[in-house]
Amino acid sequence: MKIGTQIRNMGPASTTSRILHCAKQAEASGLDHIWTVDHIAIPPEDAEGSNGRWLDPLAMLAFLAAATSKPMIGISVLVLPYRTALPTAKAIATIQELSNERLLFGIGPGWMQPEFDALGVNRKHRGKITDETMDFIRTCFDAPDDIVELNGQEFLFRPRPKRPPILVGGMTDAALERTIRCADAWLPMGIDPEPLAPRIARLKEMAEAANRACPDVYIIGSLPEEHPTARRLRRAVLG
């Protein structure tokens, strides 16, 4: 089992010095990965805890790549319908290149209606957009001779480091199907075994039916305060 932590890219804690301190302490504590999250247009009525302050997750990952050298850096999750495919692929490839291939690329279709409204994206199409964007990004990393075609135009996709692992967020059947079809791991929320166990069993069934190895599982949740890693991190961060 590997353990990571989220570094807040929202609210009053998302200062340069605080983020840098937490990243350094996470690395010194031997954590396996550090994570950031994605929101782009929080409405005022939903701004409690962040006051609407959200750092861009891709820029945050680039900062974490420079601030650390050992832990994997991940996003849980990048909402693919919020961004067009080619610039997203370029940003992912750049972060993967500059981090020495330490990126964990969590993706999801999103859920917050006001953010879709602000972007002018039909929320009903989020699943289709997610699948199309994910397929395009995979094509960019798998393209022979680094040549990709989009809208009838061929271009060179460089740099082209090793494709980062793709992790699909969500607890729905659609998320499991997306994971089996073209991802490396499943990224569910919560560590309660009661709702998680049947979903993992379903994932194994689907993998077997698709004649592929069962994807890895990365669980997002909170460690209890008495957990040794939680105590070690609290001492490192708070002194």
Side-chain angles (χ1 to χ4, degrees):
M1 183 176 68
K2 296 183 178 181
I3 296 177
T5 188
Q6 177 191 325
I7 295 180
R8 291 175 66 87
N9 59 317
M10 80 293 285
S14 60
T15 63
T16 303
S17 59
R18 184 72 62 85
I19 291 169
L20 184 60
H21 175 73
C22 289
K24 294 291 188 183
Q25 292 300 330
E27 182 166 35
S29 298
L31 292 185
D32 298 292
H33 23 76
I34 51 181
W35 299 83
T36 187
V37 295
D38 185 19
H39 276 294
I40 197 168
I42 294 292
E45 61 270 21
D46 290 317
E48 184 179 357
S50 71
N51 198 28
R53 175 185 167 89
W54 283 83
L55 303 184
D56 178 81
L58 296 176
M60 174 89 163
L61 286 171
F63 183 80
L64 293 174
T68 62
S69 61
K70 295 178 182 178
M72 302 294 287
I73 56 174
I75 178 163
S76 60
V77 294
L78 191 72
V79 183
L80 293 186
Y82 290 176
R83 299 164 177 86
T84 53
L86 179 53
T88 301
K90 174 62 71 172
I92 293 302
T94 300
I95 295 167
Q96 177 74 330
E97 174 86 3
L98 296 179
S99 68
N100 292 319
E101 299 184 349
R102 290 186 289 131
L103 180 61
L104 294 169
F105 182 29
I107 65 98
W111 58 273
M112 184 175 276
Q113 184 66 55
E115 291 192 306
F116 284 94
D117 292 342
L119 291 161
V121 176
N122 189 333
R123 185 175 178 271
K124 293 180 181 179
H125 299 160
R126 67 190 188 279
K128 180 175 183 290
I129 296 171
T130 296
D131 288 334
E132 290 175 348
T133 302
M134 186 164 64
D135 288 346
F136 175 76
I137 291 173
R138 288 182 62 97
T139 295
C140 288
F141 281 95
D142 297 340
D145 302 320
D146 301 341
I147 297 175
V148 178
E149 181 178 334
L150 185 65
N151 299 321
Q153 174 63 54
E154 288 188 342
F155 60 93
L156 288 165
F157 187 78
R158 294 174 178 163
R160 193 179 65 143
K162 178 182 177 182
R163 178 179 61 78
I166 297 174
L167 291 62
V168 172
M171 294 285 284
T172 65
D173 283 344
L176 297 183
E177 291 167 1
R178 190 171 287 123
T179 302
I180 293 298
R181 186 176 70 84
C182 53
D184 302 288
W186 180 45
L187 189 66
M189 288 288 294
I191 59 175
D192 186 346
E194 190 167 329
L196 201 55
R199 295 276 80 192
I200 292 177
R202 176 60 178 151
L203 184 69
K204 292 178 179 177
E205 290 175 0
M206 295 170 70
E208 184 175 350
N211 196 30
R212 62 160 290 181
C214 187
D216 293 333
V217 179
Y218 288 70
I219 299 172
I220 302 171
S222 301
L223 290 174
E225 290 189 8
E226 65 273 13
H227 192 283
T229 299
R231 292 200 303 267
R232 189 168 70 249
L233 281 175
R234 191 160 52 247
R235 288 196 302 268
V237 173
L238 301 178

